[in-house]
Amino acid sequence: MKNIAIFASGNGSNFEAIVNSNLNCNIKVLICNNKNAFVINRAQRLNIACEIVEYNKYKSSCDYESAIEDVLNIYQIDLIVLAGYMKIFSENFVKKFENKIVNIHPSKLPNYKGLDAIKRAYMDGEKEIGVSVHYVDSGVDTGRVIACEVIEVKNGDTLECVEAKVHKLEHKLYSKVLEELL
Ligand code: GRF
């Protein structure tokens, strides 16, 4: 069975959905770069080890990434799953873990890369808003797409309603793709 690490920085609804989907793997650790993130409460409740590795504690991104690598080595991680992790890895780091880092992004990539993707698509009047799971490279949401599904935006849908639909799809799609990858 493969050992996976989930990286998250904030709310952690995707983290919780993955843990609850009983994948055929060991979810060894949550790696979080924000000591105030709600995802840490979720990890405690779900009995998943949590390692907080904060960027501002290190002199350089090289030192930060080597601290992350130490954690990955300790837990013997095979696959890195990013779920709302707000930090871009260097090219050097990504090369070391080629095809071993995946991410989820709430858009039909390559459209709407980066922050506030759902809001931007909604404001543009898009009738379909996607969720993509992709391999990670050193760009922002630029790695090869593994799977993409969409929700329909109906007339009268508020932004909140669309966001809720997108998150529901994320929770389903991420576990499905991980199951296939594992
Ligand atoms: C999700 O929309 C995910 O696609 C994006 O960040 C958000 C994280 O949400 N990368 P949560 O913390 O899992 O609730």
Side-chain angles (χ1 to χ4, degrees), residues 10-15 42 83-85 103-106 118 167 170-171:
N11 176 31
S13 68
N14 280 282
F15 165 78
R42 297 187 195 256
Y85 183 67
N103 183 40
I104 188 159
H105 182 70
I118 306 173
H167 292 312
E170 286 186 327
H171 301 160

Side-chain angles (χ1 to χ4, degrees), residues 152-164:
E152 236 181 276
V153 180
K154 302 235 169 75
N155 286 340
D157 275 357
T158 61
L159 174 60
E160 291 68 33
C161 158
V162 168
E163 282 171 342

Side-chain angles (χ1 to χ4, degrees), residues 76-108:
Q76 301 191 305
I77 296 303
D78 303 300
L79 181 69
I80 296 172
V81 174
L82 307 186
Y85 183 67
M86 305 303 283
K87 180 90 189 71
I88 306 300
F89 291 119
S90 70
E91 203 163 333
N92 181 38
F93 184 92
V94 165
K95 274 206 183 114
K96 279 190 198 162
F97 297 96
E98 208 167 2
N99 291 333
K100 289 189 176 156
I101 314 178
V102 293
N103 183 40
I104 188 159
H105 182 70
S107 82
K108 217 156 56 165

Side-chain angles (χ1 to χ4, degrees), residues 36-48:
N36 299 314
F38 184 65
V39 67
I40 296 168
N41 300 34
R42 297 187 195 256
Q44 280 162 352
R45 178 165 41 81
L46 295 163
N47 257 317
I48 304 285

